[in-house]
Amino acid sequence: MSGLTKKIVYADNVLARILGVTEGELVSYAQISQGLHRYIKEKDLKRTSAGLPPMTPQAVQEAEPVISSNVKRCKSCDAEIPFEAVFCDLCGVSQ
Ligand SMILES: [Zn+2]
């Protein structure tokens, strides 16, 4: 039962950022759980309206904090690509 409070997980850069600890620091599952709940609350990530599908695994992977406004449109295909992108991810045209 006390396994949840044992500090047995190394926080990588992502986990450390979410939990507000130093990268490489040992954290417990209880801390991770608390930290995630806090993070979700702070970022207002919790779905409030019913009927929406649960997050797909891909969406979870992309849940790392990004500045969503930091994108531009491809000159050629109008796809949304990272602002600093040199080539379009979709059509490969240089920007
Ligand atoms: Zn394109």
Side-chain angles (χ1 to χ4, degrees), residues 73-79 81 87-93 95:
R73 295 275 179 182
C74 171
K75 284 177 186 172
S76 173
C77 71
D78 205 36
I81 54 176
F87 297 99
C88 173
D89 290 338
L90 273 86
C91 69
V93 166
Q95 302 297 306

Side-chain angles (χ1 to χ4, degrees), residues 22-35:
T22 309
E23 189 176 345
E25 197 172 304
L26 276 171
V27 295
S28 68
Y29 277 103
Q31 263 182 292
I32 294 167
S33 178
Q34 283 167 12

Side-chain angles (χ1 to χ4, degrees), residues 6-44:
K6 281 182 185 162
K7 298 194 172 189
I8 53 170
V9 179
Y10 283 107
D12 69 0
N13 57 344
V14 176
L15 198 52
R17 192 165 57 200
I18 292 171
L19 301 184
V21 299
T22 309
E23 189 176 345
E25 197 172 304
L26 276 171
V27 295
S28 68
Y29 277 103
Q31 263 182 292
I32 294 167
S33 178
Q34 283 167 12
L36 285 175
H37 282 293
R38 191 181 59 230
Y39 182 82
I40 289 164
K41 201 175 172 184
E42 276 174 9
K43 303 284 179 180
D44 199 22

Side-chain angles (χ1 to χ4, degrees), residues 14 18 36 39 45 47 54-65:
V14 176
I18 292 171
L36 285 175
Y39 182 82
L45 300 178
R47 286 183 194 278
M55 275 186 133
T56 63
Q58 192 188 8
V60 171
Q61 274 182 3
E62 290 170 358
E64 191 178 330

